């Protein structure tokens, strides 16, 4: 479907992870409605049964086949032999003092991934992972420290959403999804775009496409896929010129800024939507006033907003978070230059759920004391987060 693998940074990795269990069952959450129809047809079953099962699972959240009362008894007995409704088990569920929640999922083979639920006044955003580890090796990112172990399957991506959805309080609803957890979503386009189809379709979870955002480090050829899927695009800029960007994001050597920004212009032309550019502030590296000026110059003419993310610390990164004053100065400079900027409260730092703090490696403590820290601390009100408001 996609010819998106030309940038595959790990050509030897399997492209698809087997969705069939050892017993030969197929995982329901790996399928679109069309997939299930084809699957049932192959088993000699009526195709309209697919619609019925989808309604039970996504509309009613019923996965106990015995309760699917409009299916014949004999079919109900057969289903468990051919379909599984397993979701990635939740290994850990942590709550931050600021209301952010982090979920750790078991994705088999000793691997785990994280998703983060971020509440705000008018929305409930779920930040989900697309890969175990990441091959893009951005220097400031905790996930990037861990090389790609494998790409998640569709059911593991949809599964993160369903597990969190099933644990919401009455009346709550996930309003937005951002692919800003672990991994580079455009390095796993097959599963990412299929899961988007499941999550937005009327037969699936019915989330508006405009409430789904894919964030990329800049895999230029695949940006077109984000436009094709009619979902929103966020781009991790993180460097105001090629020299700095290549230093902190090696992918820039392959797709330098000119190519990246041309692809961004094309995205905005086709979708008429604006792009969010994420910009991580690294002390002494990306946080100077000349960088602010370069950023504004670079993005001139591209309908966009800039989401400033003060660097979130993690052990052994070698980078520092700028002072509150410097962050504020950078923010003010961008505004002065006419940019549309977001700088929000950092969420979930105390449970290592903030941007760039997600990983499965063992050298990270589970919680940290941020009580003395203003930005990201409990008493700070106006500062920015990586988890954007889009
Ligand atoms: N791989 C995708 C999405 C996941 S990373 C991407 O790179 O866009 C989500 C965001 O977290 C990116 O904008 C990235 O620049 C930012 N990020 C990574 N490490 C960070 C850190 N330590 N502090 C703050 N933001 C970080
Ligand atoms: Fe991967 Fe994104 Fe982290 Fe870069 S910032 S290493 S692309 S997860």
């Amino acid at each position: 479907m996609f010819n998106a693998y030309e940038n595959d940074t790990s050509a030897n990795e399997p492209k698809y992870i087997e969705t069939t269990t050892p017993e030969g069952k197929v995982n329901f959450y790996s399928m679109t409605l069309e997939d299930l129809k084809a699957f049932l047809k192959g088993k000699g079953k009526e195709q309209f049964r697919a619609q019925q099962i989808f309604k039970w699972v996504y509309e009613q959240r019923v996965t106990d086949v015995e309760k699917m009362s409009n299916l014949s008894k004999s079919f109900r007995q057969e289903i468990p032999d051919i379909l599984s409704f397993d979701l990635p088990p939740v290994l850990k569920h942590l709550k931050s003092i600021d209301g952010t929640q982090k979920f750790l999922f078991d994705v088999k083979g000793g691997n785990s991934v994280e998703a983060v639920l971020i509440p705000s006044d008018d929305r409930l955003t779920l930040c989900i992972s697309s890969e175990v580890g990441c091959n893009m090796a951005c220097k400031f990112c905790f996930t990037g420290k861990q090389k790609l172990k494998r790409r998640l399957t569709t059911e593991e991506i949809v599964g993160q959403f369903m597990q969190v959805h099933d644990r919401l309080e009455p009346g709550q609803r996930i309003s937005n999804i951002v692919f800003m957890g672990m991994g580079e979503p455009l390095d796993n386009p097959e599963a990412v775009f299929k899961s988007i189809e499941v999550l937005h379709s009327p037969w699936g979870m019915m989330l508006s496409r405009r409430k789904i955002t894919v964030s990329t480090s800049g895999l230029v050829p695949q940006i077109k896929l984000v436009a094709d899927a009619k979902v929103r695009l966020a781009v991790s800029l993180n460097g105001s010129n090629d020299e700095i960007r290549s230093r902190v994001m090696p992918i820039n050597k392959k797709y330098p800024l000119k190519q990246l920004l041309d692809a961004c212009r094309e995205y905005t032309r086709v979708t008429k939507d604006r792009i969010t550019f994420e910009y991580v502030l690294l002390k002494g590296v990306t946080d100077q006033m000349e960088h602010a000026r370069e950023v504004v110059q670079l993005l001139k003419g591209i309908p966009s907003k800039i989401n400033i993310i003060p660097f979130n610390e993690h052990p052994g990164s070698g980078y520092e978070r700028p002072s509150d004053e410097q962050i504020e100065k950078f923010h003010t400079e961008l505004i002065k230059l006419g940019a549309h900027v977001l700088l929000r409260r950092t969420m979930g730092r105390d449970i290592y759920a903030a941007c760039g703090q997600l990983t499965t490696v063992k050298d990270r403590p589970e919680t940290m004391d941020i009580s003395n820290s203003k930005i990201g601390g409990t008493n700070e009100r106006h500062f920015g987060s990586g988890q954007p408001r889009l």
Side-chain angles (χ1 to χ4, degrees), residues 22 74 84 95 122 131 134-135 152 167 186 198 207 271 323-324 373:
S74 63
S84 116
K95 288 186 189 175
D122 56 348
E131 297 180 323
C134 180
N135 263 352
L152 295 186
R167 285 165 176 75
L186 296 188
V198 172
L207 262 145
T271 61
S323 66
D324 292 3
S373 161

Side-chain angles (χ1 to χ4, degrees), residues 17-18 22 88-89 91 105-113 132 146 149-152 156 360 362:
I17 302 297
E18 198 48 76
L91 292 174
F105 298 97
D106 180 1
V107 288
K108 300 200 185 99
N111 295 315
S112 53
V113 292
V132 183
Q146 192 191 15
K149 282 206 173 158
R150 73 168 175 84
R151 300 176 175 88
L152 295 186
E156 287 165 343
T360 52
K362 303 276 181 289

Side-chain angles (χ1 to χ4, degrees), residues 131 133-146 180-185 215-218 236 238 248-251 356:
E131 297 180 323
C134 180
N135 263 352
M136 303 303 139
C138 301
K139 297 286 188 290
F140 47 82
C141 176
F142 208 12
T143 308
K145 268 188 166 180
Q146 192 191 15
M180 292 183 189
M182 294 162 61
E184 165 54 53
S215 174
T216 181
S217 56
S236 299
N238 302 344
V248 297
M249 299 182 73
I251 186 71

Side-chain angles (χ1 to χ4, degrees), residues 108-124:
K108 300 200 185 99
N111 295 315
S112 53
V113 292
E114 296 177 328
V116 182
L117 186 66
I118 309 140
S120 62
D121 291 347
D122 56 348
R123 64 188 67 184
L124 190 57

Side-chain angles (χ1 to χ4, degrees), residues 129-389:
S129 294
S130 55
E131 297 180 323
V132 183
C134 180
N135 263 352
M136 303 303 139
C138 301
K139 297 286 188 290
F140 47 82
C141 176
F142 208 12
T143 308
K145 268 188 166 180
Q146 192 191 15
K147 272 190 92 64
L148 180 72
K149 282 206 173 158
R150 73 168 175 84
R151 300 176 175 88
L152 295 186
T153 59
T154 303
E155 68 265 29
E156 287 165 343
I157 298 175
V158 173
Q160 294 170 60
F161 182 97
M162 301 315 301
Q163 285 283 39
V164 177
H165 171 89
D166 292 345
R167 285 165 176 75
L168 295 176
E169 284 164 24
Q172 276 191 319
R173 187 174 182 274
I174 296 168
S175 61
N176 295 62
I177 303 177
V178 292
F179 282 86
M180 292 183 189
M182 294 162 61
E184 165 54 53
L186 296 188
D187 184 46
N188 185 13
E190 204 81 41
V192 163
F193 289 102
K194 197 174 215 187
S195 64
I196 286 175
E197 196 181 340
V198 172
L199 293 169
H200 101 263
S201 288
W203 43 258
M205 288 309 288
M206 295 201 288
L207 262 145
S208 149
R209 291 178 192 268
R210 298 191 44 80
K211 305 278 172 145
I212 300 175
T213 300
V214 172
S215 174
T216 181
S217 56
L219 294 191
V220 167
Q222 287 95 321
I223 286 179
K224 184 183 173 306
L225 303 178
V226 185
D228 291 348
K230 299 186 180 64
V231 292
R232 309 197 79 174
L233 174 66
V235 173
S236 299
L237 187 64
N238 302 344
S240 55
N241 58 47
D242 277 322
E243 191 270 313
I244 299 175
R245 193 166 192 270
S246 294
R247 213 174 344 130
V248 297
M249 299 182 73
I251 186 71
N252 193 67
K253 293 179 196 145
K254 187 161 187 187
Y255 301 115
L257 280 167
K258 177 163 179 346
Q259 283 185 42
L260 175 60
L261 296 176
D262 281 349
C264 288
R265 276 186 205 93
E266 180 61 11
Y267 171 91
T268 58
R269 191 188 66 76
V270 172
T271 61
K272 311 268 179 287
D273 195 8
R274 64 179 168 175
I275 296 173
T276 298
F277 286 96
E278 296 148 293
Y279 189 84
V280 178
L281 283 184
L282 304 166
K283 185 175 176 179
V285 181
T286 62
D287 66 344
Q288 301 299 299
M289 294 310 106
E290 76 215 52
H291 302 140
R293 288 190 284 277
E294 275 181 334
V295 166
V296 172
Q297 197 58 33
L298 268 184
L299 303 184
K300 221 177 190 165
I302 304 178
S304 58
K305 47 187 164 184
I306 303 166
N307 183 24
I308 301 177
I309 314 175
F311 174 62
N312 290 312
E313 315 86 327
H314 50 84
S317 73
Y319 291 106
E320 283 175 61
R321 187 179 177 96
S323 66
D324 292 3
E325 293 68 36
Q326 188 64 17
I327 294 169
E328 186 64 81
K329 215 171 132 192
F330 194 89
H331 182 206
T332 310
E333 183 70 10
L334 283 180
I335 293 171
K336 229 167 53 193
L337 294 166
H340 187 129
V341 199
L342 293 166
L343 175 55
R344 288 180 61 238
R345 211 156 76 83
T346 301
M347 305 288 278
R349 255 172 92 208
D350 57 334
I351 53 168
Y352 283 91
C355 266
Q357 294 183 311
L358 305 184
T359 186
T360 52
V361 295
K362 303 276 181 289
D363 56 351
R364 182 194 61 188
E366 210 152 80
T367 57
M368 78 169 141
D369 181 6
I370 57 167
S371 49
N372 292 323
S373 161
K374 261 179 78 196
I375 296 178
T378 47
N379 53 356
E380 138 314 275
R381 296 209 321 274
H382 60 288
F383 266 114
S385 125
Q387 323 293 357
R389 183 185 182 83

